[in-house]
Amino acid sequence: MEPIKQPDDVEGCTCLRCRSTDLQVFRRSIAGDILWAISLPWRHPSVLVLVFAVTVLSWLLWPALETMPQTWPVGTAVAFYVALSTTVLRVYVVGVTTAALQGSVRSARELFVTSQRRLPAVVVTLIAVLIVGAVAIGLASILSWGLLSTLTWVDELAGTSLSSESIYDGASATLIFGSASALAIFKFWLAPEICVVGGYNPLTALRLSWSVTSLHWFRVLIVIVGFSLTVFLPQIGKQTLSALGGSWLLWDPLTGFIQMLFYGVGYAIWFAVGTQIYVRSTLP
């Protein structure tokens, strides 16, 4: 798996003919990217094997993790599964996608070892994205506090009732603070893929992700929306089944295992689509 870098970082000719990349990736629509990504796990069963391994490990450790202090917003067990999926699984899927686009024939073991060398950079990148998201929420909080203080001062001076602490509750809080965090996540969504595909360090990956998401914003938005739907669809399905009186069909241990398998395959598909978006951005 050779790094696919931006044209400015490539020595020599950067024309399409001189690239060791499937030229179709530069011509496909977002629908084509998704269809290609859906077929990837079936063309490369090692992706499904890793999804199964991550699921089995998380499922077996779930009872023990549930007894640990729940310091994470989503619970320790969920955090463990998400961490494995967004690091080990993501890095491997990106590596497989890159090798497939380059027409490289390598064993699953070699691809796994090669791609996981980028794991530390991806972990640092994800931590940086979380920090940026937290900073964005902090700045939104300061601005909201400043606005509330200003309106309170105006109320006292003019005898009006413009100020309200409702901006910290309900839909207003979600809009203000959720939007700030969502913007950071959107702009840096492709940074982990860039770390693996391009071989860039975390800081450069964050910078490139910012520019790539501006250029291909619609495709990235589709990826994020699709990823979100992948997360929420199983819950919607369970609630719908229960509402229709079919809750007897739900066997919690088995349902949880199948749900995690669904998540893993879905994540792999969207990671592959994101990789194609970055590769497309390397067109001179």
Side-chain angles (χ1 to χ4, degrees):
M1 186 184 75
E2 296 295 327
I4 302 177
K5 295 183 175 292
Q6 293 292 318
D8 293 341
D9 300 325
V10 177
E11 295 182 1
C13 181
T14 59
C15 72
L16 292 180
R17 184 172 297 179
C18 293
R19 289 169 176 265
S20 58
T21 307
D22 182 3
L23 301 185
Q24 290 300 319
V25 73
F26 299 104
R27 304 188 181 103
R28 280 196 292 262
S29 64
I30 182 62
D33 285 351
I34 295 172
L35 290 174
W36 187 92
I38 290 174
S39 68
L40 182 71
W42 315 109
R43 288 183 284 111
H44 298 273
S46 59
V47 172
L48 295 177
V49 171
L50 185 57
V51 168
F52 186 78
V54 168
T55 301
V56 169
L57 179 61
S58 301
W59 191 66
L60 291 176
L61 293 178
W62 200 277
L65 293 172
E66 284 286 286
T67 62
M68 296 177 63
Q70 304 299 301
T71 56
W72 302 88
V74 293
T76 303
V78 175
F80 177 78
Y81 174 74
V82 171
L84 278 183
S85 299
T86 55
T87 54
V88 176
L89 178 61
R90 187 174 194 169
V91 168
Y92 182 66
V93 170
V94 175
V96 170
T97 303
T98 305
L101 293 176
Q102 292 177 327
S104 175
V105 180
R106 296 193 177 187
S107 66
R109 180 181 179 280
E110 185 180 2
L111 268 176
F112 183 82
V113 171
T114 303
S115 61
Q116 295 303 316
R117 290 173 183 164
R118 301 300 302 160
L119 183 60
V122 169
V123 171
V124 172
T125 301
L126 288 172
I127 292 174
V129 173
L130 292 176
I131 292 174
V132 170
V135 170
I137 293 176
L139 291 175
S141 301
I142 294 173
L143 291 174
S144 300
W145 177 81
L147 176 62
L148 182 61
S149 299
T150 301
L151 291 178
T152 301
W153 179 77
V154 171
D155 286 346
E156 294 175 352
L157 189 65
T160 58
S161 56
L162 299 174
S163 62
S164 173
E165 293 187 1
S166 63
I167 61 174
Y168 295 106
D169 301 310
S172 297
T174 301
L175 181 63
I176 294 172
F177 305 117
S179 297
S181 179
L183 178 61
I185 292 174
F186 174 82
K187 295 303 294 183
F188 299 121
W189 182 268
L190 296 178
E193 280 78 4
I194 294 173
C195 273
V196 180
V197 183
Y200 291 106
N201 61 58
L203 186 60
T204 302
L206 292 171
R207 177 178 59 80
L208 288 175
S209 178
W210 184 279
S211 60
V212 171
T213 51
S214 298
L215 184 62
H216 299 281
W217 65 270
F218 181 71
R219 291 175 184 265
V220 177
L221 182 62
I222 293 296
V223 170
I224 295 176
V225 171
F227 190 91
S228 301
L229 288 176
T230 300
V231 173
F232 292 115
L233 275 178
Q235 295 298 328
I236 295 173
K238 289 172 65 175
Q239 292 174 4
T240 302
L241 193 60
S242 298
L244 294 175
S247 57
W248 59 274
L249 294 172
L250 298 175
W251 178 31
D252 283 344
L254 180 61
T255 302
F257 185 80
I258 295 174
Q259 184 172 318
M260 286 192 288
L261 282 177
F262 174 82
Y263 285 153
V265 175
Y267 294 165
I269 291 170
W270 295 115
F271 294 154
V273 176
T275 303
Q276 293 176 84
I277 294 174
Y278 166 71
V279 172
R280 184 175 290 102
S281 74
T282 62
L283 181 66

